[in-house]
C-alpha cells in the first residue's frame, strides 16, 4: 500500500475531512441564510418604488418612536397605534385586520374594454388601463383596508364615511365630490333620490358612465373640480346644487387636501342650508381636522370624527402628532 492510500485510510485523514465538511456546512448555512434574507428584502422592495423610499419609511418610523419615547404622556393617546407600528412597521391604517373578503367576482367587458368587479350584484367598472387583477385589488383595498363602507374589516375604521347614526338616508341627494370609481354612490344607489358624481380626472368618466348606465335617470356626472369659483374646469357647490334647495343633501368630499378651501368658499351656501350632512377627509394635511372642525361649527353644524387615526406617510410634511383623524362628519343642528 503506497503512502497516498495509507493516508486516505488513516484516522488523521478522516478527522481532517470531517473538519472540512463542518466548515463547508457552515458556509452553506450562511449562503442559505443570505439567500433567504435576499428574498425577503426583494419582496419588501417590491412595495416601494425606490430604495430611498424604503429608507425614508424606516427613518419615519424611527422618528415617530423617538418622539413618543420622549413625550410619554402624549403616547397614551396613541398607544394602540404605536403598538401596532412597532410590531408591523408603518401603515396608513395602524389597526389589526379582522377579516377579508372571501371571494370577489370579476370580469372584463369586451365591448367597453373595461374590467369590472361585482358589488352587491352590481357591476363596478374600472378604466381600460386597469387589468382585472388591478380592479380586484383596488376594490379589496377600499373594502378591507380603507373600510370606506364599514363592515369592521379592521379593529378601527378611520376612513369610514358613514356610521350607525350618520348615514345616507332614503330620499337623500348624494353629492360625491372626488368620486373616482363611484363605489360609495353605487352602494347607496337604490335608496337615494339623485346622485351627483364629481370627478376631475378624465380617466374615470367612461367607467362611471358604464357603472351608472342602469341608473342614468337619476345620476349626473360632472367632469370638473369643485372649487372656490366657477370656470370651464371648476364649479362651486352653490352652482352645482342650485336646484336642490328643498332636498336633503349628503355630501361626501375627498379632494386631496382641498377640502378646507372648498368648505371655506362655501360658507354662505352651507350656512343657508338645513337638511345637510357632510363628510370630508381630514388626513391629507396636518391642520385639516382642526380647521374643518372650526369652520363647520362656526357655520352652525355639529361635528364628529371617525373612529381611530390614520398615519398618512405619503405626506412629505408629516410631523407631530403624526396621527390624524381620517374623516370629519358634520350635520345641521336642525336635523
Amino acid at each position: 500500500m503506497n503512502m497516498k492510500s495509507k493516508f486516505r485510510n488513516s484516522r488523521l485523514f478522516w478527522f481532517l475531512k470531517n473538519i472540512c465538511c463542518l466548515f463547508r456546512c457552515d458556509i452553506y448555512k450562511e449562503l442559505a441564510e443570505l439567500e433567504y434574507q435576499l428574498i425577503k428584502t426583494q419582496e419588501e422592495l417590491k412595495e416601494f418604488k425606490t430604495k430611498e423610499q424604503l429608507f425614508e419609511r424606516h427613518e419615519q418610523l424611527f422618528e415617530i418612536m423617538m418622539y413618543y419615547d420622549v413625550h410619554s404622556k402624549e403616547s397614551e393617546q396613541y398607544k394602540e397605534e404605536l403598538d401596532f407600528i412597532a410590531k408591523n412597521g408603518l401603515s396608513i391604517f395602524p389597526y389589526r385586520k379582522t377579516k377579508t373578503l372571501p371571494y370577489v367576482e370579476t370580469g372584463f367587458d369586451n365591448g367597453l374594454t373595461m374590467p369590472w368587479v361585482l358589488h352587491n350584484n352590481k357591476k363596478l367598472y374600472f378604466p381600460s388601463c386597469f387589468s382585472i387583477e388591478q380592479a380586484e385589488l383596488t376594490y379589496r383595498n377600499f373594502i378591507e383596508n380603507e373600510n370606506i363602507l364599514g363592515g369592521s374589516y379592521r379593529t378601527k375604521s378611520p376612513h369610514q364615511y358613514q356610521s350607525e347614526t350618520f348615514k345616507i338616508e332614503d330620499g337623500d341627494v348624494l353629492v360625491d365630490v372626488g368620486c373616482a370609481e363611484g363605489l360609495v354612490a353605487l352602494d347607496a344607489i337604490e335608496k337615494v333620490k339623485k346622485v351627483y358624481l364629481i370627478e376631475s380626472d378624465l380617466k374615470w368618466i367612461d367607467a362611471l358612465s358604464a357603472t351608472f348606465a342602469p341608473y342614468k335617470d337619476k345620476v349626473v356626472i360632472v367632469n370638473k373640480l369643485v372649487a372656490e369659483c366657477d370656470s370651464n374646469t371648476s364649479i362651486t357647490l352653490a352652482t352645482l346644487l342650485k336646484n336642490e334647495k328643498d332636498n336633503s343633501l349628503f355630501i361626501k368630499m375627498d379632494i386631496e387636501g382641498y377640502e378646507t378651501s372648498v368648505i371655506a368658499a362655501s360658507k354662505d351656501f352651507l350656512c343657508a342650508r338645513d337638511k345637510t350632512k357632510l363628510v370630508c377627509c381630514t388626513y391629507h394635511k396636518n391642520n385639516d381636522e382642526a380647521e374643518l372642525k372650526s369652520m363647520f361649527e362656526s357655520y352652525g353644524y355639529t361635528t364628529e370624527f371617525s373612529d381611530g387615526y390614520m398615519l398618512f406617510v405619503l405626506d412629505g410634511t408629516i410631523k407631530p402628532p403624526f396621527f390624524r383623524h381620517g374623516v370629519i362628519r358634520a350635520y345641521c343642528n336642525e336635523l
Side-chain angles (χ1 to χ4, degrees), residues 321-332:
F322 302 108
F323 299 100
R324 302 170 184 173
H325 284 107
V327 302
I328 188 170
R329 306 179 186 121
Y331 57 92
C332 293

Side-chain angles (χ1 to χ4, degrees), residues 219-234:
V219 174
V220 178
I221 300 173
V222 181
N223 183 210
K224 287 187 175 185
L225 291 165
V226 169
E228 300 95 326
C229 61
D230 296 309
S231 71
N232 291 334
T233 58
S234 64

Side-chain angles (χ1 to χ4, degrees), residues 19-288:
I19 291 294
C20 290
C21 286
L22 286 173
F23 277 114
R24 187 171 64 181
C25 285
D26 286 343
I27 291 170
Y28 286 155
K29 284 171 67 177
E30 287 185 25
L31 286 173
E33 179 65 23
L34 286 171
E35 185 177 11
Y36 172 72
Q37 292 297 333
L38 177 61
I39 292 170
K40 281 185 66 178
T41 302
Q42 287 174 334
E43 289 176 349
E44 191 173 7
L45 283 172
K46 286 178 183 177
E47 300 178 10
F48 304 92
K49 292 181 180 179
T50 65
K51 291 181 181 179
E52 287 77 12
Q53 285 177 313
L54 178 61
F55 176 77
E56 186 178 306
R57 289 289 181 91
H58 287 302
E59 192 175 43
Q60 285 177 324
L61 178 58
F62 179 75
E63 181 185 357
I64 292 167
M65 289 306 188
M66 284 298 294
Y67 176 84
Y68 283 108
D69 188 52
V70 173
H71 300 81
S72 56
K73 287 185 178 180
E74 293 180 36
S75 70
E76 288 303 310
Q77 182 178 353
Y78 307 107
K79 184 179 184 308
E80 181 179 359
E81 294 78 13
L82 289 167
D83 287 347
F84 181 91
I85 64 172
K87 295 175 182 177
N88 301 281
L90 292 185
S91 174
I92 294 175
F93 304 100
Y95 302 101
R96 181 176 55 84
K97 187 175 284 190
T98 57
K99 60 182 179 180
T100 59
L101 288 169
Y103 173 72
V104 175
E105 186 175 345
T106 61
F108 191 86
D109 190 310
N110 290 318
L112 297 173
T113 65
M114 295 179 199
W116 53 264
V117 168
L118 204 65
H119 175 75
N120 292 344
N121 296 314
K122 303 177 183 71
K123 287 183 179 179
L124 179 71
Y125 282 88
F126 287 81
S128 297
C129 58
F130 278 54
S131 66
I132 294 176
E133 291 75 20
Q134 285 175 308
E136 180 180 345
L137 286 173
T138 302
Y139 176 74
R140 281 186 177 275
N141 180 59
F142 292 148
I143 301 296
E144 298 176 356
N145 293 326
E146 298 192 28
N147 274 219
I148 62 174
L149 299 179
S152 301
Y153 285 85
R154 287 184 181 269
T155 54
K156 289 185 179 179
S157 305
H159 203 190
Q160 181 178 329
Y161 293 119
Q162 302 175 72
S163 69
E164 289 185 7
T165 56
F166 183 97
K167 56 189 175 182
I168 302 167
E169 304 282 1
D170 291 344
D172 280 352
V173 172
L174 172 60
V175 186
D176 194 342
V177 184
C179 65
E181 78 301 322
L183 176 57
V184 172
L186 185 64
D187 189 68
I189 194 64
E190 303 291 353
K191 65 169 66 172
V192 295
K193 180 178 182 179
K194 190 174 183 178
V195 176
Y196 289 88
L197 299 171
I198 300 90
E199 178 53 57
S200 62
D201 191 341
L202 188 60
K203 78 177 181 185
W204 290 105
I205 301 303
D206 287 343
L208 287 169
S209 298
T211 296
F212 292 94
Y215 316 98
K216 58 184 178 181
D217 59 324
K218 64 176 180 179
V219 174
V220 178
I221 300 173
V222 181
N223 183 210
K224 287 187 175 185
L225 291 165
V226 169
E228 300 95 326
C229 61
D230 296 309
S231 71
N232 291 334
T233 58
S234 64
I235 189 169
T236 62
L237 280 179
T239 300
L240 177 71
L241 302 170
K242 61 184 178 182
N243 296 322
E244 304 297 342
K245 293 179 181 179
D246 299 323
N247 290 315
S248 58
L249 300 179
F250 187 101
I251 303 172
K252 170 239 152 187
M253 196 175 294
D254 183 355
I255 48 176
E256 308 302 323
Y258 290 96
E259 292 86 356
T260 52
S261 59
V262 170
I263 296 302
S266 304
K267 178 180 179 180
D268 292 342
F269 170 76
L270 294 174
C271 286
R273 290 283 317 179
D274 56 10
K275 297 186 294 184
T276 299
K277 289 174 280 190
L278 300 98
V279 56
C280 294
C281 290
T282 57
Y283 63 86
H284 292 109
K285 295 178 181 177
N286 281 313
N287 298 318
D288 279 0

